[in-house]
């Protein structure tokens, strides 16, 4: 399920540099006025109004460079969710996406709706936001030509596990449970998973759990101890060590960075 972290319009008059992993999730933006450059580890992109948008993985360093005398005004929203990396891989990675005019019109409509729904007060609002972001993601996939190609679907046991983990991403999945869901032995599942995907089953489970940690830590109402409990860790200390090993910073450091 996609979650909305922030949405709005940004004005930039000066160079803005960000280190990697300073915020959670993905950042999708498009230019309303002005010109500039976006610099990321994967390349440099010219920014200007038109039928295109840019998707940024916020775990990577990036720099926004407005052209002098041409204030860069962008509309955007920041979001994330379980299997974010899998969806990003299917899209072909972050960067520029050239859209059809009707897609850009839909993108602006979704942006306005997200602004109206950014203060989530009920599960129905959360689901509505998820559907809006899913609509945008479908347009991104179509714009990059993925619907004109046959998309490889993993073997049935692997897909069963992916669907189950995605449905309960905060559950501490055990080998016996995964084997039961898949309908094959755990060793067979691990082999099938590694053969059909670019990651091991263990790495997949760790990333799904880490994505949930990002989402929960973005909620200021939750203490780190409460985040740890929701993710089914035995104690907050072990959770902190686990998070620092995968992310590079402690949960507290990460939380301070996204609040800043």
């Amino acid at each position: 399920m996609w979650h909305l972290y922030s949405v709005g319009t940004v004005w930039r008059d000066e160079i803005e540099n960000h280190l990697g992993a300073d915020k959670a999730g993905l950042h999708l933006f498009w230019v309303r006025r002005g010109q500039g450059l976006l610099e990321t580890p994967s390349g440099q992109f010219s920014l200007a109004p038109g039928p295109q948008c840019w998707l940024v993985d916020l775990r990577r360093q990036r720099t926004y460079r407005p052209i002098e005398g041409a204030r860069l005004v962008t509309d955007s929203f920041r979001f994330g969710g379980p299997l974010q990396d899998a969806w990003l891989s299917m899209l072909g990675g972050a960067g520029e996406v050239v859209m059809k005019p009707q897609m850009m019109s839909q993108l602006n409509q979704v942006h306005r709706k997200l602004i109206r729904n950014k203060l989530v007060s009920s599960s129905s609002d959360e689901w509505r936001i998820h559907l809006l972001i899913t609509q945008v993601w479908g347009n991104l996939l179509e714009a990059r030509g993925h619907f004109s190609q046959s998309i490889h679907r993993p073997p049935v046991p692997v897909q069963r596990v992916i669907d189950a983990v995605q449905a309960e991403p905060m559950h501490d999945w055990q080998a016996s449970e995964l084997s039961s869901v898949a309908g094959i032995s755990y060793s067979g599942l691990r082999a099938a998973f590694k053969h059909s995907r670019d990651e091991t089953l263990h790495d997949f489970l760790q990333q799904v759990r880490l994505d949930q940690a990002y989402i929960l830590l973005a909620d200021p109402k939750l203490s780190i101890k409460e985040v740890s409990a929701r993710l089914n860790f035995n104690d907050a200390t072990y959770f902190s060590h686990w998070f620092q090993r995968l992310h590079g910073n402690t949960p507290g450091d990460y939380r301070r960075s996204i609040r800043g």
Side-chain angles (χ1 to χ4, degrees), residues 28-34 46-55 95-108 139-140 142-144:
L28 184 69
F29 74 94
W30 53 103
V31 178
R32 183 188 292 184
R33 292 194 307 273
S46 296
L47 305 178
Q52 64 271 331
C53 58
W54 294 267
L55 183 66
E96 184 177 82
V97 182
V98 178
M99 310 277 276
K100 297 177 182 178
Q102 62 268 31
M103 291 181 180
M104 289 303 300
S105 176
Q106 291 174 3
L107 186 56
N108 281 289
N139 283 343
L140 296 176
E142 182 179 349
R144 285 201 171 167

Side-chain angles (χ1 to χ4, degrees), residues 57 62 66 80 149 158 179 205 241:
D57 185 345
R62 68 270 180 205
Q149 307 169 9
V158 173
S179 177
L205 294 171
H241 288 316

Side-chain angles (χ1 to χ4, degrees), residues 7-34:
V7 58
T9 300
V10 177
W11 290 261
R12 293 184 177 90
D13 294 303
E14 300 178 344
I15 295 174
E16 187 176 296
N17 184 57
H18 296 267
L19 298 177
D22 58 329
K23 294 181 179 179
L26 302 171
H27 177 220
L28 184 69
F29 74 94
W30 53 103
V31 178
R32 183 188 292 184
R33 292 194 307 273

Side-chain angles (χ1 to χ4, degrees), residues 184-202:
I184 59 176
S185 68
Y186 185 65
S187 60
L189 172 62
R190 286 191 304 171
F193 206 97
K194 187 173 183 179
H195 179 74
S196 62
R197 295 172 60 89
D198 293 329
E199 61 182 342
T200 66
L201 175 58
H202 175 75

Side-chain angles (χ1 to χ4, degrees), residues 100-201:
K100 297 177 182 178
Q102 62 268 31
M103 291 181 180
M104 289 303 300
S105 176
Q106 291 174 3
L107 186 56
N108 281 289
Q109 291 175 15
V110 167
H111 188 254
R112 290 192 292 270
K113 291 177 181 178
L114 289 175
I115 289 175
R116 290 198 295 269
N117 286 277
K118 67 178 179 179
L119 297 177
V120 177
S121 58
S122 70
S123 58
S124 62
D125 290 326
E126 291 182 357
W127 182 246
R128 189 178 301 113
I129 286 173
H130 166 73
L131 292 178
L132 289 170
I133 296 176
T134 299
Q135 175 188 336
V136 171
W137 198 265
N139 283 343
L140 296 176
L141 288 169
E142 182 179 349
R144 285 201 171 167
H146 289 276
F147 292 155
S148 62
Q149 307 169 9
S150 59
I151 299 176
H152 172 70
R153 187 172 178 84
V156 171
V158 173
Q159 189 62 52
R160 286 174 180 164
V161 167
I162 292 173
D163 291 342
V165 173
Q166 186 175 11
E168 295 185 71
M170 288 189 286
H171 181 65
D172 184 15
W173 289 94
Q174 302 299 310
S176 59
E177 295 174 301
L178 294 170
S179 177
S180 177
V181 168
I184 59 176
S185 68
Y186 185 65
S187 60
L189 172 62
R190 286 191 304 171
F193 206 97
K194 187 173 183 179
H195 179 74
S196 62
R197 295 172 60 89
D198 293 329
E199 61 182 342
T200 66
L201 175 58

